[in-house]
């Protein structure tokens, strides 16, 4: 089975130096889910310009042309460029901290290289909103992301809250009218 070229978007999750000039980059791709890529020669400076390792910062959204072979654990990137250029995430310390939290949480949740375009688009949208956000939105974005992320993995809480159903049964995932007999619940106060 040969490597085929594919165009996809990707969100950089992690970068590790490899050798003198290369990187091993873990990227959450739109087409293939979480993937590892070897990128040669991006850590060198030439007469024409500096290396392009700065494109592989965590949370960067890239347009990629990649070689993909399902039998390989480490594929290669043929072409890469910014898909979205952030105005403030990499320079604003609170926004950068939030972006790194989102990426770390996403990395902990993604274990298998399976396609999940809805999760990709959700994450991409949250990062783009973070870049445009004010202080209040930035402060609440980690909670928003953490509560909406489980939905993309099949875990959700039914929104059946009302005056009678005011105990959130965390084991069952919905609100109930009486206190559950187990300790895994939240009470509305």
């Amino acid at each position: 089975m040969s490597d085929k070229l594919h165009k996809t978007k990707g969100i950089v999750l992690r970068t590790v130096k490899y050798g003198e000039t290369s990187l091993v980059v873990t990227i959450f791709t739109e087409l293939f889910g979480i993937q590892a890529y070897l990128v040669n020669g991006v850590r060198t400076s030439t007469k024409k310009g500096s290396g392009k390792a700065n494109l592989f910062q965590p949370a960067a959204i890239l347009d990629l042309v990649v070689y993909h072979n399902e039998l390989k654990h480490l594929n290669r990137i043929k072409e890469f460029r910014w898909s979205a250029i952030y105005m403030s995430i990499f320079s604003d310390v609170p926004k950068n901290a939030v972006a790194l939290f989102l990426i770390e949480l996403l990395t902990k949740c993604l274990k298998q290289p399976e396609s999940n375009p809805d999760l990709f688009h959700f994450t991409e949208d949250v990062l783009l909103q973070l870049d445009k956000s004010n202080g209040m939105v930035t402060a609440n974005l980690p909670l928003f992301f953490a509560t909406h992320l489980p939905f993309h993995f099949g875990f959700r809480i039914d929104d059946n809250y009302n005056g009678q159903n005011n105990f959130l049964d965390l084991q069952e995932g919905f609100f109930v009218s009486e206190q559950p007999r187990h300790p895994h619940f939240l009470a509305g106060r």
Side-chain angles (χ1 to χ4, degrees):
M1 189 169 183
S2 64
D3 296 349
K4 293 183 180 179
L5 277 174
H6 299 273
K7 287 185 179 181
T8 186
K9 285 175 111 178
I11 299 171
V12 177
L13 302 178
R14 185 173 162 223
T15 302
V16 177
K17 293 178 183 176
Y18 182 78
E20 293 293 318
T21 62
S22 302
L23 296 171
V24 174
V25 185
T26 304
I27 299 177
F28 179 41
T29 65
E30 184 178 17
L31 291 180
F32 309 112
I34 190 168
Q35 295 289 315
Y37 294 101
L38 178 61
V39 188
N40 291 323
V42 292
R43 293 178 40 222
T44 60
S45 293
T46 63
K47 291 179 182 177
K48 293 182 180 179
S50 62
K52 297 189 177 205
N54 64 328
L55 271 73
F56 296 100
Q57 297 177 61
I61 302 172
L62 304 175
D63 285 327
L64 305 166
V65 177
V66 299
Y67 293 99
H68 184 74
N69 184 336
E70 290 184 20
L71 302 176
K72 291 183 179 179
H73 294 290
L74 189 63
N75 287 292
R76 292 187 179 268
I77 297 176
K78 182 177 182 195
E79 298 174 19
F80 54 90
R81 64 181 175 88
W82 294 109
S83 177
I85 298 175
Y86 297 129
M87 295 295 138
S88 60
I89 285 181
F90 294 137
S91 59
D92 183 288
V93 174
K95 286 185 181 184
N96 189 260
V98 169
L100 292 176
F101 169 80
L102 303 179
I103 294 302
E104 184 68 24
L105 184 57
L106 186 62
T107 302
K108 296 290 184 195
C109 294
L110 295 171
K111 296 299 177 194
Q112 297 299 319
E114 57 193 33
S115 177
N116 193 338
D118 290 339
L119 176 58
F120 179 86
H121 294 294
F122 169 69
T123 304
E124 178 185 34
D125 186 52
V126 168
L127 288 168
L128 293 172
Q129 293 304 317
L130 172 63
D131 190 46
K132 296 187 265 183
S133 68
N134 62 27
M136 183 66 76
V137 173
T138 300
N140 289 303
L141 210 54
L143 184 59
F144 173 83
F145 187 76
T147 56
H148 286 79
L149 184 62
F151 170 79
H152 297 281
F153 295 103
F155 302 104
R156 64 181 65 114
I157 294 174
D158 287 342
D159 188 13
N160 64 327
Y161 177 82
N162 61 36
Q164 289 180 306
N165 295 338
N166 58 358
F167 291 95
L168 175 56
D169 187 327
L170 296 172
Q171 278 185 295
E172 299 300 322
F174 53 83
F175 290 90
V176 294
S177 59
E178 296 180 14
Q179 181 174 329
R181 295 179 189 225
H182 55 78
H184 308 291
F185 69 91
L186 298 174
R189 296 190 203 281

